[in-house]
Amino acid sequence: MSIVESAIYRDGRKVESPQSLQDTYRLLQTVMDRAQQDCAQDDHADTVVAWIGLYRPSREEIASLTEHFQLHELAVEDTVQAHQRPKMERYGETLFTVIRPAVYQDESETVEIGEIHIFTGPNFVITIRHSESSGVGKARKRVEADPQLLCFGPDGILYALLDQIVDDYFPVLSGLENDIDEIEDSLFAGESNVSQRIYELAREVNEFHRGVAPLSEVMRRYFAGFTKYGTHEELQHRLRDVLDHVIQVSGKLDSMRSSLTDAMSLDSTLTTARQNEAAMVQNDQMKKISSWAAILFAPSIVGSIYGMNFENMPELHWTLGYPFALVLMVLVGVVLYAVFKIKDWL
């Protein structure tokens, strides 16, 4: 079974902890019948909610939930396929929500993006996780410690899930900000792998942004139905606070994307400058090598001419021929050295 945790709440308190889907269906009906009987006696209606948490459920389990809670086939299809963008879609009395939690992994300095599908109906909440990272466990502990949220019904649980997941975005932002600071230091240190790190970090920020950016518009459309679906006023205020946090996260991500774009441009500029500097150094070295080659080559020409030993060479019988050849070789070398020195080749 893929059930992580299942519980039935009545009037803000957990009253049952079923171990299977069939037990959940049976106990939920029992608690609802008992609440209706008590309501008839004291004219006080208790809120009854079943919260079923699953991790990568099988098709049989999803089919069972679909049949019992009358889930819409399009929402079920999205749940089976997964890889959805954040959204909220209402099918009759059931609201289907997709949200992308995020966790920053300190060991690998990467961002892990998850996916949670949430079905909220008149008396049930179904959370389906498709990844390890999620804030469902924290949200469950929070609502169980706050009976008021449970008294808001499924909307209260949905709020707790949204608020927890959005709050978990901020540690991710802190981790990404530290990575960007490290990249800025690495840029001017001339580290060899900084280009790859910038690209990888930009990809992570863009993926994170795709999981957050649509959420603000999704929530605004959700807010438009507050009056129609009778959302409690206090819950409306809390949900608007979640939206403010979403907008804040989106703004920081936009700033990070801009910083990484600037870092890419700066890295390209610095790389080009280093290549030009290396080329200039290499050019100076080639000048020195060429200059010394010319200085050494000129005397060798003189020496090679007088080493041919032809009979009809007047200088061979000249008394001053040998000193003259030596002086000529030295003189040519000195003249070439002076010329190259003046041109700053040496």
Side-chain angles (χ1 to χ4, degrees):
M1 295 293 291
S2 60
I3 295 180
V4 178
E5 187 171 356
S6 181
I8 298 174
Y9 305 94
R10 177 182 174 184
D11 199 25
R13 296 179 297 105
K14 182 193 290 188
V15 294
E16 298 288 352
S17 298
Q19 300 300 312
S20 67
L21 291 180
Q22 298 302 323
D23 288 343
T24 302
Y25 305 153
R26 178 177 54 82
L27 292 173
L28 175 60
Q29 187 61 49
T30 300
V31 175
M32 290 176 60
D33 292 342
R34 191 182 305 142
Q36 289 179 356
Q37 292 175 2
D38 294 342
C39 176
Q41 294 176 2
D42 57 17
D43 197 26
H44 173 70
D46 290 344
T47 302
V48 178
V49 181
W51 184 355
I52 306 171
L54 302 102
Y55 173 69
R56 292 179 178 172
S58 64
R59 290 181 177 270
E60 292 75 14
E61 290 170 328
I62 293 179
S64 176
L65 292 167
T66 301
E67 181 181 359
H68 185 81
F69 293 111
Q70 299 299 303
L71 305 179
H72 197 277
E73 60 180 4
L74 293 178
V76 173
E77 181 181 353
D78 289 343
T79 298
V80 172
Q81 294 178 351
H83 304 293
Q84 304 293 318
R85 299 190 68 187
K87 62 181 179 180
M88 284 185 176
E89 296 174 344
R90 190 173 291 278
Y91 300 95
E93 294 184 331
T94 302
L95 179 66
F96 176 58
T97 304
V98 178
I99 190 168
R100 306 295 300 271
V103 176
Y104 184 81
Q105 302 292 347
D106 291 320
E107 297 80 7
S108 58
E109 294 185 342
T110 57
V111 179
E112 180 182 341
I113 307 295
E115 184 173 346
I116 299 178
H117 295 183
I118 307 168
F119 292 90
T120 51
N123 50 26
F124 67 88
V125 175
I126 303 171
T127 53
I128 299 176
R129 294 194 290 119
H130 291 277
S131 60
E132 295 292 340
S133 60
S134 74
V136 176
K138 296 178 183 178
R140 189 183 288 272
K141 291 179 180 179
R142 177 181 175 184
V143 298
E144 290 180 353
D146 188 355
Q148 184 182 8
L149 285 178
L150 287 171
C151 289
F152 288 147
D155 286 342
I157 296 176
L158 177 60
Y159 154 73
L161 288 166
L162 292 171
D163 189 46
Q164 183 62 56
I165 292 171
V166 172
D167 284 346
D168 288 343
Y169 287 159
F170 289 95
V172 179
L173 290 177
S174 298
L176 290 173
E177 287 174 346
N178 290 335
D179 290 344
I180 292 176
D181 291 339
E182 292 175 358
I183 282 177
E184 291 175 350
D185 295 336
S186 300
L187 275 173
F188 295 100
E191 295 184 7
S192 58
N193 63 339
V194 66
S195 299
Q196 180 181 355
R197 185 69 183 109
I198 293 174
Y199 173 78
E200 292 174 348
L201 187 58
R203 184 176 58 186
E204 291 177 2
V205 170
N206 288 333
E207 185 179 359
F208 187 21
H209 185 267
R210 285 194 296 270
V212 175
L215 193 55
S216 57
E217 182 60 28
V218 166
M219 293 190 68
R220 287 190 179 96
R221 292 202 301 267
Y222 175 51
F223 294 170
F226 279 166
T227 303
K228 180 179 180 180
Y229 296 100
T231 304
H232 194 281
E233 184 176 356
E234 174 62 23
L235 195 57
Q236 294 182 30
H237 296 324
R238 297 192 183 194
L239 285 166
R240 288 194 175 93
D241 182 63
V242 175
L243 176 60
D244 290 340
H245 291 168
V246 171
I247 294 173
Q248 185 178 353
V249 172
S250 296
K252 288 188 176 182
L253 285 174
D254 287 335
S255 178
M256 287 181 182
R257 296 173 74 190
S258 177
S259 297
L260 288 171
T261 300
D262 293 341
M264 287 182 180
S265 300
L266 179 58
D267 178 58
S268 177
T269 301
L270 292 176
T271 300
T272 302
R274 285 192 289 266
Q275 291 174 345
N276 291 338
E277 183 179 353
M280 292 177 63
V281 171
Q282 185 177 15
N283 189 38
D284 290 340
Q285 293 174 346
M286 289 300 298
K287 287 180 180 179
K288 292 179 180 179
I289 294 173
S290 301
S291 299
W292 284 112
I295 292 173
L296 296 175
F297 182 66
S300 67
I301 293 178
V302 177
S304 63
I305 291 175
Y306 288 99
M308 291 187 290
N309 297 323
F310 289 113
E311 291 184 1
N312 297 321
M313 291 182 68
E315 293 86 354
L316 291 177
H317 304 285
W318 185 28
T319 304
L320 297 177
Y322 178 67
F324 173 77
L326 292 178
V327 171
L328 179 61
M329 287 188 285
V330 172
L331 181 63
V332 172
V334 171
V335 171
L336 288 175
Y337 180 84
V339 172
F340 291 135
K341 196 70 176 177
I342 292 173
K343 290 182 174 293
D344 199 24
W345 281 34
L346 291 173

